[in-house]
């Protein structure tokens, strides 16, 4: 990997009333990944990226009560993933691919019995280019007991994507590969390239009003117009349930949300007027701008990109002339009534100075989000008599699963925050914080919970968020050892960071249900309380986390064509995974060698107590290792995975 970074920063006082500031940063990197998507070296891909950031601002002082600041920002990201063997062509290798498929590079080839995979990584070449241009103008005005801010924001976001797939062949044995007898072939005709534009503008006004010497009110209002992401050449295709077909040449898949009114209210109160106690409260409505990943999948639908696949039990597929058979199309679509998400946030905070150097803060924080992104299977068969209807009863039998992005999701968050902060005295300082919180939602958009168990019954999905951690404690601090004297015994310092948090919620799921209907996600039945522990697994490698796996049972009967399932009664995210505890310790020695030269020595121990932080257990109920943990929370060598020692010496001059 090669990486180059450059920055520039300039500040100029143009006049006594005008100041200009500019900042520019550029980063370029080149990465050679010889085994990406393969286990034989020198295939893989090469990844080139560049990032640029530019900010310009000009501040003008009209008088002591009136100032204005204008800011302009530019951000550019460009990255490509190109196969390392892109200089060859399928035809040059004797491989026949249909028209419309990339005619360069080498299809991915897998030989199952010896576990070898080589060729181009699947889904490449690919790349993206993101460009953001933003403008802001803010006028600040002091008028008596009022402090006003008026402003406007304007932005345009451009997102260009490249997505192609040269295809893949699968051979069951090495002998079949040598005899040119493949069992499967897949590719994509066309590409999912697109050029997405997303404009936005907003305006705001805010007043900070000092009602009394010890009471200040903050009143604000903001309006945003967030344009719907659109494709510059109308290269989106959406699914139309009214006609049971895919509609091409779509530019804007849902109407622009133009009613984003966002009031804000806050108050700060010093109840005794002594500057040692502060009570603050606030409420605000905050709108979220849509993201382009909501619509980027629309350019991957037919007729722009059509998947082809062929399988052969007799291994009759050849590299020279693979059969071209369209697979069951599983389109991606967006709800035409999609709404931008918004959140209502509120809080109340009490701060108290306990001593001259010790402060306590306690806060209640709440949030309710509406119109969150939710993934549904629009082609799921209904539940009839407590059982999913067969796949043949799907509403749109001409298609496979239909992934629809909707804004039906909601969430709420409530938390108690407590912070104790000691400022530096006698070389000692610390900051301790504790959070008790609960976050609930319908989906956190994380596998295997992307699709609900029953797309017609979202209420059954309401549960703890995937990232919910009920308890979290963090302590950080340092102590300068009071040794004085020569250079050898002075300048020593100890530092520590400790964090501990509860485990995150998990959901068990059933395997072997793909034949029920496309994109089926079925949870098991649970017959009693779920017990968790941390003991060595019996008969296999790992840690047994779910102590009583027999309380889980399948809600399905039969198999193959006779498979029938009911929605499982297990609640989403009803199991709590392993907790996380980590302590990092540092010993630091600062030495002043001469008046201008100094050194810093650091001896650092990450996870100094080598506390085992386990990863999530296997949540596949059908697996022989269900409920068993076989990995740490993070890969070996990463933060929090195991004890790691680090020594560093720095010279300053």
């Amino acid at each position: 990997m090669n990486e180059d970074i450059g920055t520039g920063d300039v500040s100029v006082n143009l006049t006594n009333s005008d100041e200009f500031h500019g900042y520019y940063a550029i980063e370029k990197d080149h990465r050679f990944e010889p085994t990406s998507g393969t286990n034989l070296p020198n295939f893989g891909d090469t990844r080139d990226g560049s990032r640029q950031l530019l900010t310009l601002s000009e501040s003008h002082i009209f008088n002591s009560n009136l100032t204005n600041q204008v800011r302009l920002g530019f951000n550019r990201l460009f990255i490509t993933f190109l196969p390392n063997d892109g200089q060859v062509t399928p035809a040059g290798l004797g491989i026949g691919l249909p028209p419309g498929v990339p005619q360069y590079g080498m299809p991915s080839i897998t030989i199952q019995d010896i576990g070898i995979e080589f060729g181009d990584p699947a889904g490449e070449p690919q790349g993206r280019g993101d460009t953001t241009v933003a403008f802001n103008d803010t006028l600040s005005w002091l008028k008596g007991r009022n402090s006003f801010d008026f402003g406007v924001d304007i932005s345009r976001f451009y997102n260009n994507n490249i997505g192609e797939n040269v295809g893949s062949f699968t051979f069951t044995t090495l002998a079949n590969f040598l005899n040119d007898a493949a069992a499967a072939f897949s590719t994509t005709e066309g590409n999912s390239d697109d050029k997405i534009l997303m404009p936005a503008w907003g305006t705001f006004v805010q007043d900070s009003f000092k009602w009394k010497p010890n009471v200040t009110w903050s009143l604000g209002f903001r309006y945003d117009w967030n344009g719907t992401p659109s494709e510059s050449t109308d290269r989106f295709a959406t699914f139309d349930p009214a006609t049971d077909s895919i509609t091409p040449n779509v530019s804007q898949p849902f109407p622009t949300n133009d009613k984003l009114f966002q009031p804000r209210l806050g108050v700060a109160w010093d109840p005794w007027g002594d500057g040692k106690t502060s009570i603050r409260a606030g409420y605000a409505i905050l709108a979220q701008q849509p993201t382009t990943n909501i619509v980027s999948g629309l350019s991957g639908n037919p007729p722009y990109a059509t998947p082809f696949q062929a399988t052969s039990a007799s291994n009759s597929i050849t590299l020279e002339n693979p059969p071209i058979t369209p697979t069951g199309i599983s389109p991606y679509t967006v709800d035409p009534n999609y709404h931008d998400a918004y959140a209502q946030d509120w809080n109340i905070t009490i701060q108290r100075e306990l001593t001259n150097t010790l402060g306590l803060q306690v806060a209640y924080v709440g949030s309710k989000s509406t119109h969150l992104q939710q993934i549904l299977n629009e082609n799921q068969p209904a539940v009839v008599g407590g059982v999913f209807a067969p796949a043949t009863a799907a509403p749109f039998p001409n298609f496979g699963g239909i992934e629809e992005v909707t804004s039906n999701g909601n969430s709420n968050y409530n938390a108690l925050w407590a912070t104790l902060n000691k400022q530096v005295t006698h070389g000692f300082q610390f900051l301790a914080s504790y959070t008790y919180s609960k976050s609930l939602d319908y989906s956190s958009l994380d596998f295997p919970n992307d699709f609900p168990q029953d797309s017609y019954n979202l209420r059954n999905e309401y549960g703890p968020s995937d990232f919910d951690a009920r308890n979290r404690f963090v302590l950080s601090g340092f102590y300068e050892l009071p040794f004085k004297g020569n250079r050898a015994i002075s300048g020593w310092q100890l530092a520590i960071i400790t964090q501990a948090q509860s485990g995150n919620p998990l959901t068990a799921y059933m395997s072997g249900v793909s034949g029920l209907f496309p994109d089926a996600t079925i949870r098991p039945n649970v017959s009693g309380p779920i017990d968790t522990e941390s003991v060595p697994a019996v008969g296999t490698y790992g840690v047994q986390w779910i102590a009583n796996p027999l309380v889980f049972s399948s809600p399905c009967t039969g198999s193959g064509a006779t498979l029938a399932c009911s929605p499982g009664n297990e609640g989403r995210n009803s199991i709590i995974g392993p907790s996380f505890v980590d302590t990092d310790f540092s010993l630091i020695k600062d030495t002043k060698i001469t008046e201008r030269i100094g050194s810093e020595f650091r001896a650092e121990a990450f996870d100094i107590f080598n506390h085992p932080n386990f990863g999530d257990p296997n949540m596949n109920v059908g697996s022989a290792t269900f409920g068993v943990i076989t990995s740490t929370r993070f890969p070996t060598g990463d933060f929090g995975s195991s004890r790691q020692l680090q020594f560093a010496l720095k010279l300053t001059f």
Side-chain angles (χ1 to χ4, degrees):
M1 174 178 174
N2 294 326
E3 182 178 32
D4 297 299
I5 300 175
T7 62
D9 196 322
V10 60
S11 294
V12 180
N13 290 323
L14 303 176
T15 68
N16 290 334
S17 301
D18 292 275
E19 180 183 359
F20 171 82
H21 177 255
Y23 176 79
Y24 177 72
I26 183 170
E27 183 266 350
K28 290 190 174 183
D29 59 78
H30 175 85
R31 295 170 56 188
F32 178 71
E33 300 285 353
T35 58
S36 174
T38 174
N39 51 22
L40 290 184
N42 297 323
F43 288 96
D45 59 29
T46 297
R47 306 175 184 186
D48 289 297
S50 65
R51 298 161 182 83
Q52 298 181 70
L53 173 67
L54 172 68
T55 61
L56 304 173
S57 67
E58 199 277 337
S59 300
H60 178 73
I61 301 174
F62 294 97
N63 54 53
S64 60
N65 296 323
L66 188 64
T67 63
N68 189 80
Q69 185 178 56
V70 177
R71 289 175 291 182
L72 179 66
F74 170 84
N75 195 327
R76 170 69 172 165
L77 163 70
F78 183 73
I79 185 170
T80 58
F81 297 73
L82 301 178
N84 291 328
D85 57 4
Q87 69 275 13
V88 303
T89 64
L93 298 172
I95 300 174
L97 296 179
V101 175
Q103 299 296 317
Y104 50 86
M106 178 181 180
S108 173
I109 294 178
T110 300
I111 305 175
Q112 293 179 327
D113 67 335
I114 57 175
I116 286 181
E117 183 176 354
F118 60 96
D120 292 355
E124 294 189 10
Q126 63 170 286
R128 63 180 295 173
D130 296 343
T131 303
T132 303
V133 180
F135 170 84
N136 169 268
D137 189 5
T138 301
L139 180 70
S140 299
W141 178 35
L142 295 177
K143 178 66 174 177
R145 291 184 293 171
N146 297 82
S147 177
F148 295 101
D149 286 312
F150 306 89
V152 61
D153 297 306
I154 303 172
S155 68
R156 291 178 73 85
F157 177 64
Y158 302 87
N159 171 228
N160 298 336
N161 297 287
I162 302 169
E164 299 182 349
N165 182 16
V166 70
S168 65
F169 290 85
T170 300
F171 296 85
T172 57
T173 66
L174 177 60
N176 286 340
F177 171 68
L178 297 175
N179 291 321
D180 192 12
F185 167 72
S186 65
T187 189
T188 300
E189 181 185 57
N191 59 67
S192 58
D193 298 355
D194 54 37
K195 298 179 179 180
I196 302 174
L197 167 65
M198 190 169 63
W201 66 269
T203 184
F204 64 90
V205 58
Q206 181 168 313
D207 176 26
S208 180
F209 173 60
K210 199 171 187 62
W211 181 43
K212 294 182 179 180
N214 63 333
V215 179
T216 300
W217 289 92
S218 294
L219 305 171
F221 180 82
R222 181 180 179 93
Y223 172 79
D224 279 307
W225 181 92
N226 292 332
T228 297
S230 59
E231 216 286 328
S232 63
T233 59
D234 298 346
R235 204 176 185 274
F236 285 156
T238 59
F239 176 74
D240 182 6
T243 60
D244 191 11
S245 63
I246 295 176
T247 302
N249 304 318
V250 175
S251 172
Q252 185 171 294
F254 57 91
T256 293
N257 292 190
D258 57 1
K259 297 180 176 61
L260 303 176
F261 303 103
Q262 305 157 72
R264 294 140 194 234
L265 173 65
V267 63
W269 175 37
D270 181 353
W272 293 284
D274 59 2
K276 293 186 177 182
T277 303
S278 173
I279 300 177
R280 302 173 185 270
Y283 172 84
I285 295 179
L286 308 169
Q288 180 184 6
Q289 189 175 10
T291 56
T292 57
N293 64 1
I294 296 173
V295 300
S296 57
L298 299 176
S299 59
N301 288 332
Y304 309 118
T306 303
F308 290 89
Q309 185 173 359
T311 60
S312 172
S314 60
N315 301 301
S316 59
I317 299 173
T318 64
L319 294 170
E320 294 82 4
N321 190 26
I324 306 303
T325 306
T327 62
I329 303 298
S330 296
Y332 176 95
T333 194
V334 180
D335 183 358
N337 297 313
Y338 188 91
H339 292 277
D340 288 355
Y342 70 90
Q344 301 176 72
D345 293 350
W346 57 89
N347 65 80
I348 181 168
T349 304
I350 301 174
Q351 293 174 301
R352 175 65 183 176
E353 181 184 299
L354 302 178
T355 69
N356 291 336
T357 62
L358 188 64
L360 174 66
Q361 175 178 296
V362 179
Y364 162 69
V365 178
S367 177
K368 182 183 185 303
S369 298
T370 305
H371 293 314
L372 296 180
Q373 185 175 335
Q374 177 85 44
I375 305 296
L376 301 182
N377 184 355
E378 195 173 357
N379 206 20
Q380 176 204 298
V383 176
V384 179
V387 178
F388 286 104
T392 54
F396 309 103
N398 294 327
F399 295 93
I402 301 176
E403 182 177 345
E404 181 184 30
V405 179
T406 73
S407 53
N408 296 335
N410 293 287
S411 73
N412 69 74
Y413 172 83
N414 291 276
L416 170 69
W417 295 355
T419 302
L420 188 64
N421 184 13
K422 185 187 182 305
Q423 299 179 9
V424 180
T425 55
H426 305 292
F428 178 56
Q429 182 269 340
F430 74 83
L431 175 65
S433 64
Y434 171 73
T435 302
Y436 177 78
S437 64
K438 187 174 185 178
S439 179
L440 299 166
D441 60 24
Y442 289 93
S443 171
S444 302
L445 299 179
D446 188 23
F447 178 84
N449 299 327
D450 282 3
F451 286 103
Q453 179 175 230
D454 183 358
S455 291
Y456 304 115
N457 184 12
L458 288 184
R459 290 186 178 275
N460 207 30
E461 301 300 306
Y462 192 65
S465 304
D466 293 358
F467 50 83
D468 180 55
R470 197 60 43 87
N471 297 278
R472 178 170 172 80
F473 173 77
V474 179
L475 171 66
S476 63
F478 69 85
Y479 178 54
E480 296 176 353
L481 298 178
F483 302 144
K484 304 296 181 180
N486 59 41
R487 298 171 183 172
I489 64 173
S490 64
W492 291 93
Q493 187 179 112
L494 305 177
I496 188 173
I497 300 177
T498 293
Q499 54 181 314
Q501 73 174 44
S502 306
N504 300 118
L506 304 169
T507 304
Y509 63 94
M510 301 300 303
S511 60
V513 297
S514 58
L516 186 64
F517 56 84
D519 300 319
T521 301
I522 306 297
R523 297 196 289 267
N525 286 328
V526 180
S527 59
I530 303 170
D531 299 327
T532 58
E533 60 182 0
S534 179
V535 298
V538 177
T540 185
Y541 165 80
V543 174
Q544 185 71 46
W545 182 252
I546 297 179
N548 55 342
L550 295 181
V551 300
F552 294 86
S553 61
S554 173
C556 303
T557 60
S559 62
T562 63
L563 179 66
C565 296
S566 301
N569 66 10
E570 181 208 11
R572 171 178 162 266
N573 281 346
S574 58
I575 305 167
I576 303 300
S579 60
F580 177 77
V581 178
D582 179 80
T583 299
D584 300 334
F585 179 81
S586 300
L587 174 64
I588 306 166
K589 173 68 170 71
D590 288 319
T591 304
K592 191 170 185 179
I593 301 173
T594 69
E595 184 176 344
R596 295 185 178 182
I597 301 176
S599 67
E600 180 186 79
F601 169 75
R602 302 178 68 95
E604 297 173 310
F606 303 99
D607 192 11
I608 188 172
F609 299 117
N610 207 28
H611 184 278
N613 289 303
F614 297 126
D616 292 336
N618 180 357
M619 301 307 293
N620 181 354
V621 175
S623 170
T625 58
F626 169 62
V628 175
I629 299 171
T630 58
S631 65
T632 55
R633 188 181 183 99
F634 303 105
T636 302
D638 283 5
F639 160 79
S641 62
S642 60
R643 181 191 296 125
Q644 299 172 65
L645 302 179
Q646 175 177 287
F647 300 92
L649 180 63
K650 180 170 66 175
L651 185 68
T652 58
F653 55 91

